[in-house]
Structures are given as C-alpha cells and as structure tokens.
C-alpha cells in the first residue's frame, strides 16, 4: 500500500492565516479601545457636568446614534460586499463611482437626520436652556453626518483589507470626544455649550478626514460630484441589511430616547451610564 505523502501548508495559505489573525487582532484591539474611551468619557463627563446635566448630553448622544442608524440603511455591509467584488475584478473606476454614490446617499439622508436630531432636542424637556438644546442639536446633527461618513470610509477600508485604517476611522469621534471632555475637565469648565462646540469641531474634523482618506483609497479627487444613479445602486445593495443594522441601534438606544422625552435629565443621567456598563 503506497504511503500518502505528507504535505505542509504552502506560503499562500500561511499568508492567508497570518492576514486573518492580524485582522482579528486589530478588530479586537479597536473594539476594546472604543469601549474604554467611551467609558472614560462618560465617567469624566458625569463628574464634570453632574448627573442631571449629563443626562441632557446622554440624550443628545442617544438621539444622534439612533437617527444615524436609521440613515445608514445597512450601508456598512452593502458597501463592504460591493468593494470586495470590485477589488477582485480590479475595477478602480467602479470603486470611485461606488464611493461617490455612497457619499451622495449619506449626505442626502444626513440632511433629514440633522433636522430630526434638532427637533428631538427641542422637544425634550430635560431642564436645559433652549439655546443650549439648539447648540447640542446642531452639534450632534453634524456628529450624525460624521458618523455615517466615517462608516462609509471604514467600510471601503474593510473591503480593501485595510483593517487598521478601518479601526482608526471608527475611533475618530470617540477619541475626539474623550479629548474634549478631558480638556474641559482640566479647565473646570462645566458647560454644555462648550461640550457642544467641542463635539461639533470633532465631527467636522472627522468628516474631513474620512472624505480625504476615502478619496485616496479609491483614487478619486472629487467625491461630492452628482451621482444619483450610483446612490440608487448603493441603496439597493444595502437595503437587505438595513433591518439588522437598525435593530441593533434601536435595541441599544431607543429606551434612552423614550426616557429623555418622558423623564428628567437626572433620570437619563443615572440610567444611561449604568446601561453602558451592563
């Protein structure tokens, strides 16, 4: 009986396993950093602002996250799948068109999302001044647009195998908000208006960085060109995944939204940090 020769994994298979291990490691590290920065930001913000005032900030954060999930419409998974297929077929023109369509869709839905966040902030009765509520609404409306622009750029990076870049983009606003709260805490400036200004500037920076990196990834100088057909194609590719993405956001944020519309700032400020930890 002939002996079956022993074969060892070839270089290609070894490289694949190494890339998978690197991707998993980067993903875990990015997730851990995001969680730690988020918890540190909450702890500093509660100590700086107090429970009741922090409740107003927590409500704004939850509203923006919930509306951003509604506006994304499953974009992350749909874009990643499309990018991977285009990369395999070596179609740089297709990547650029996909990027323009995604940016167009994000900005169109972002306008509606911006208005929804502002209206929700003004509708809540959490004890803040109307001017402060408006400032937070504007800041988090811009943050919503930044979150979805970043999600698009991160999805392209993921589809192209740039896992470290993807995680860096995902951490942009989280890290920026931590810096804002840390600086305000160091200055002893317990002001929601100052927080709104800082968060708004962070969001604008995140939009600029995301669009710049996305342009470099796909080799396109102008991503804001008219792209209605491409936007419809992106929407069609992402729609099947919208329900799953929306469900995750609603489960994690909807209760804070309801509590903010029916309860007090102190109740939201006590509930939201506990929800994060649990």
């Amino acid at each position: 009986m002939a002996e079956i020769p022993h074969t060892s994994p070839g270089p290609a298979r070894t490289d694949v396993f190494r890339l998978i291990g690197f991707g998993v490691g980067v993903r875990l590290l990015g997730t851990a950093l995001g969680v730690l920065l988020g918890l540190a930001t909450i702890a500093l913000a509660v100590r700086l602002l107090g429970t009741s005032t922090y409740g107003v900030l927590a409500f704004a954060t939850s509203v923006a996250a919930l509306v951003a999930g509604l506006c994304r419409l499953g974009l992350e998974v749909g874009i990643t799948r499309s990018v991977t297929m285009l990369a395999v077929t070596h179609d740089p023109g297709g990547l650029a068109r996909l990027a323009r369509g995604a940016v167009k869709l994000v900005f169109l839905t972002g306008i509606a999302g911006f208005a929804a966040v502002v209206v929700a902030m003004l509708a809540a009765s959490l004890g803040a001044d109307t001017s402060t509520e408006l400032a937070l609404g504007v800041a988090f409306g811009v943050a919503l647009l930044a979150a979805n622009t970043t999600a698009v750029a991160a999805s392209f990076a993921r589809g192209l195998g740039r896992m470290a870049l993807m995680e860096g983009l995902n951490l942009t606003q989280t890290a920026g908000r931590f810096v804002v709260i840390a600086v305000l805490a160091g200055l002893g400036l317990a002001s929601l208006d100052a927080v709104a200004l800082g968060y708004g500037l962070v969001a604008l920076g995140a939009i600029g960085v995301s669009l710049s990196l996305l342009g470099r990834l796909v080799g396109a100088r102008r991503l804001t060109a008219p792209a209605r057909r491409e936007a419809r194609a992106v929407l069609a590719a992402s729609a099947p995944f919208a329900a799953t993405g929306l469900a995750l956001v609603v489960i994690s944020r909807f209760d804070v939204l309801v509590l903010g519309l029916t309860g007090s700032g102190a109740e939201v400020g006590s509930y939201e940090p506990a929800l994060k930890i649990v």
Side-chain angles (χ1 to χ4, degrees), residues 10-255:
R13 182 179 296 182
T14 302
D15 290 342
V16 169
F17 289 150
R18 185 180 296 115
L19 287 173
I20 292 174
F22 174 76
V24 171
V26 169
R27 185 69 176 137
L28 291 174
L29 178 61
T31 301
L33 284 175
V35 171
L36 291 175
L37 284 172
L39 291 176
T41 302
I42 290 173
L44 284 175
V46 171
R47 293 191 63 180
L48 173 67
L49 301 172
T51 303
S52 182
T53 306
Y54 172 76
V56 181
L57 179 62
F59 177 75
T61 304
S62 296
V63 169
L66 179 60
V67 178
L70 288 169
C71 293
R72 272 202 292 273
L73 303 170
L75 276 178
E76 297 101 316
V77 180
I79 288 175
T80 300
R81 285 168 58 91
S82 299
V83 168
T84 302
M85 290 186 288
L86 290 170
V88 169
T89 57
H90 303 285
D91 185 2
L95 285 175
R97 289 191 296 272
L98 179 66
R100 291 191 184 98
V103 170
K104 176 78 172 182
L105 186 60
V106 161
F107 273 85
L108 287 176
T109 58
I111 294 172
F114 182 97
V117 172
V118 172
V119 169
M121 286 304 304
L122 294 176
S125 55
L126 298 174
D129 295 335
T130 302
S131 60
T132 299
E133 291 175 345
L134 181 60
L136 285 171
V138 171
F140 278 93
V142 177
L144 174 152
L145 182 57
N148 289 355
T149 306
T150 300
V152 168
S155 297
F156 271 84
R158 183 178 184 180
L160 295 171
R162 305 286 295 275
M163 299 301 293
L165 179 59
M166 179 194 77
E167 290 301 330
L169 285 165
N170 288 336
L171 289 171
T172 303
Q173 284 205 89
T174 304
R177 290 177 182 181
F178 171 75
V179 171
V180 168
I181 294 299
V183 169
L184 293 179
L187 296 174
L189 185 57
S191 167
L192 279 177
D193 292 320
V195 174
L197 176 61
Y199 278 22
L201 292 175
V202 167
L204 288 173
I207 292 173
V209 169
S210 298
L211 290 177
S212 176
L213 291 175
L214 178 58
R216 293 185 181 184
L217 282 173
V218 302
R221 294 182 179 180
R222 187 183 177 194
L223 294 174
T224 56
R228 294 182 181 178
R229 182 184 303 174
E230 290 81 359
R232 288 195 295 267
V234 173
L235 180 59
S238 304
F241 310 101
T244 302
L246 177 60
L248 292 174
V249 175
V250 169
I251 290 171
S252 63
R253 296 289 184 175
F254 189 70
D255 47 355

